[in-house]
Amino acid sequence: MGGHANAGYHPLTTETVVQVVAPLNHFADVNQLEIKEIGDGNLNYVFHVVEPATGKSLIVKQALPYAKVVGESWPLTLDRARIESEALRRAAEYVPALVPKVHHTDERLACTVMEDLSDHVILRKGLIQGQVYPKLAEHIATFLAQTLFHTSDFFLSPLDKKEQVRAFINPELCKITEDLVFTDPFFNHETNDFPKALQSSVELLWNDLELKRETAKLKHAFLTRAEALVHGDLHTGSIFVTTDSTKVIDPEFAYYGPIAFDIGQFFANLALNYLSHFHHSPDPQQRRTFQEYLLEVIEETWTRFKEQFTHLWQTKGQDVYMRVAGVEDDFFERLLEDTIGFAGCEVIRRTIGLAHVADLDSISDEETQLRLKDKALTLGSVLIKQRRQLTRITHLSESIRGVAHA
Ligand code: SR1
Ligand code: MG
């Protein structure tokens, strides 16, 4: 259960991290390292280890036996370090350029030593600043198509697939998502966090029976549909970027779940960024251009994902039904519907749940922040309830545009 440390586990400090990196022979002189704790996430320590003389560097990420964002009162399994490191290695089999290289895993200390990506920025930060990343859609589409296809029953034998399901059982991290994404925001729960002035909109949502019935279906899919090894937390804070490089990080929530969940989370975070540009881009022309760019990323990601997944389906598909006319169309039809539904849940939880996004929370003007959060709730609700009518990816863009500019 959560919180129980492995024998020999101890939280690392800037003084003791050297014991982890020394045996790797990566640095010329481990007595000359500069080490800083730079973790700004919710759950882990992240140490940046640099050797100034050679310019070499590494990241040491260690799981704590509790959620850092809440404190020691929220125990959390250290097994998530193993899950993260194995998920990164699994992804590297298909998309080595799109994940950080793992140098070493220490199960006793629940830590992973990996490539330093300090020359990249967190995508969320870049997007808030209005930066355009021309390769983003292509890279994320590739990441999604390759990792999801190759870990699914479309590619693996049923026996191998079930071995993988077993290896990636991640009940405690899944429970966080079940609660924080699919349950708490839809009820009057103590983990929720929203401004008082949003109370009436939130109560409308809590009293919306149709919304709850539809969200229940999406939660059930998350609980039961072991389709592929999903990243499980693919928001824009889990992606590092430069103009021509993209690296997906932090798959500690990875488990066998619905393929649509990763795609939906990515789209939701782009939609939240879209809304936030009513504040972050005061110039109307610049704002319009940037917001349209975000919708292009959504559309291009879906189109490229579908193309690549289709190619893999046709060239590497293992199941006999994959060659039956119409099966592939049925798959993509349901995938888009679920993607839009999961995106709606993510938009709502990032607005009124426990874990928010800087895109909206960094807006200093309270009235603007409130207005945009209200729009986010409307958008989330529309996506969940109308997902069956949104049968093309352009319908998703139109919904975002429509709610944002209403
Ligand atoms: C207590 S963890 C809160 C959130 O942070 C992670 O990145 C996940 O998104 C989780 O829901
Ligand atoms: Mg994370």
Side-chain angles (χ1 to χ4, degrees), residues 160-174:
D160 287 347
K161 150 75 185 318
K162 276 144 195 110
E163 275 299 314
Q164 292 296 309
V165 173
R166 197 203 321 254
F168 285 99
I169 287 288
N170 197 0
E172 287 185 37
L173 281 279
C174 284

Side-chain angles (χ1 to χ4, degrees), residues 95-163:
V95 283
L98 301 179
V99 285
K101 181 174 165 43
V102 172
H103 290 268
H104 176 68
T105 307
D106 187 324
E107 282 209 22
R108 186 179 58 99
L109 288 173
C111 77
T112 307
V113 183
M114 60 187 121
E115 181 184 357
D116 175 24
L117 298 170
S118 302
D119 55 335
H120 290 58
V121 295
I122 285 290
L123 175 61
R124 187 184 305 289
K125 195 171 167 205
L127 293 179
I128 290 173
Q129 291 167 352
Q131 298 292 327
V132 166
Y133 298 100
K135 300 267 178 65
L136 178 65
E138 179 190 335
H139 288 165
I140 295 297
T142 302
F143 174 84
L144 291 167
Q146 295 291 330
T147 58
L148 296 170
F149 179 85
H150 285 110
T151 59
S152 75
D153 287 289
F154 298 129
F155 177 68
L156 296 175
S157 76
L159 294 180
D160 287 347
K161 150 75 185 318
K162 276 144 195 110
E163 275 299 314

